[in-house]
Amino acid sequence: GLDIDARGLALRIAGLLQKGPDGRAEGRLAIYASDPGALLDFLAGHRILIVENDPSVRSAFAFLLRSWGVDVTTAAGIESALATLEEGAPDAVLSDYRLDNGETGCDVIVALRDRLDKPLPALMVSAEQVEFIAEAAGQVGAEVLAKPLAEMDLRRSLARLLGGPAA
């Protein structure tokens, strides 16, 4: 396991990852979070769509956000993200930048907003630290966080996007 102390918050990531038959990492990953407070109270009950092509990372994000009381839906790309809209519109989207089949988080955000025909707060994450990602995100009005993420940074960013308290 990996223990992280981010500004007084305890975050433990534990799991077993191995190389699957298609060469991708697969396995189980769990994130244990703590620190209930104003941000958690605010985020609880909000609906957030997570778009991530890596199933292990998608599950880890979903587990973490659900531990905050967030109503989570997940998707791997544009098509599955649009399909989640049948269950209702999310309050915000959290997307990886680089997805499969040449898709990007920017593509997902634009497709969702076009289908909803309304603004949708968006946060993009990327392990790539390149300027063009920040520029692309800026063009679609999304914020960007670099992976690996500090739990509190993610919590603050999502709360800010949704008009919540600063912490």
Side-chain angles (χ1 to χ4, degrees):
L2 170 66
D3 291 309
I4 301 170
D5 184 8
R7 298 186 192 115
L9 296 177
L11 173 64
R12 178 160 176 76
I13 302 172
L16 172 65
L17 296 178
Q18 57 192 6
K19 195 172 189 177
D22 63 351
R24 290 180 174 222
E26 63 180 24
R28 290 173 298 230
L29 183 65
I31 300 176
Y32 304 95
S34 61
D35 186 44
L39 291 179
L40 289 179
D41 291 343
F42 174 77
L43 289 171
H46 278 91
R47 183 169 185 193
I48 297 180
L49 170 60
I50 298 168
V51 184
E52 168 62 62
N53 60 317
D54 182 316
S56 297
V57 176
R58 187 171 57 240
S59 293
F61 273 131
F63 182 89
L64 176 63
L65 270 63
R66 284 184 181 121
S67 78
W68 299 347
V70 172
D71 179 11
V72 173
T73 53
T74 63
I78 294 173
E79 186 176 332
S80 57
L82 291 173
T84 68
L85 298 180
E86 294 176 18
E87 303 166 24
D91 297 316
V93 62
L94 168 64
S95 180
D96 189 19
Y97 176 76
R98 186 119 10 233
L99 303 169
D100 291 337
N101 305 315
E103 294 178 355
T104 68
C106 293
D107 298 332
V108 170
I109 293 163
V110 169
L112 288 167
R113 288 176 177 163
D114 285 349
R115 179 72 57 90
L116 293 169
D117 196 29
K118 69 175 191 173
L120 176 65
L123 179 63
M124 226 173 332
V125 296
S126 180
E128 299 174 65
Q129 308 274 329
V130 290
E131 191 173 312
F132 81 87
I133 292 174
E135 290 174 10
Q139 290 176 354
V140 298
E143 292 189 27
V144 180
L145 284 178
K147 291 179 185 176
L149 302 174
E151 178 185 352
M152 194 63 181
D153 290 342
L154 178 59
R155 193 181 299 170
R156 284 182 179 135
S157 293
L158 288 172
R160 183 175 53 252
L161 281 176
L162 293 166

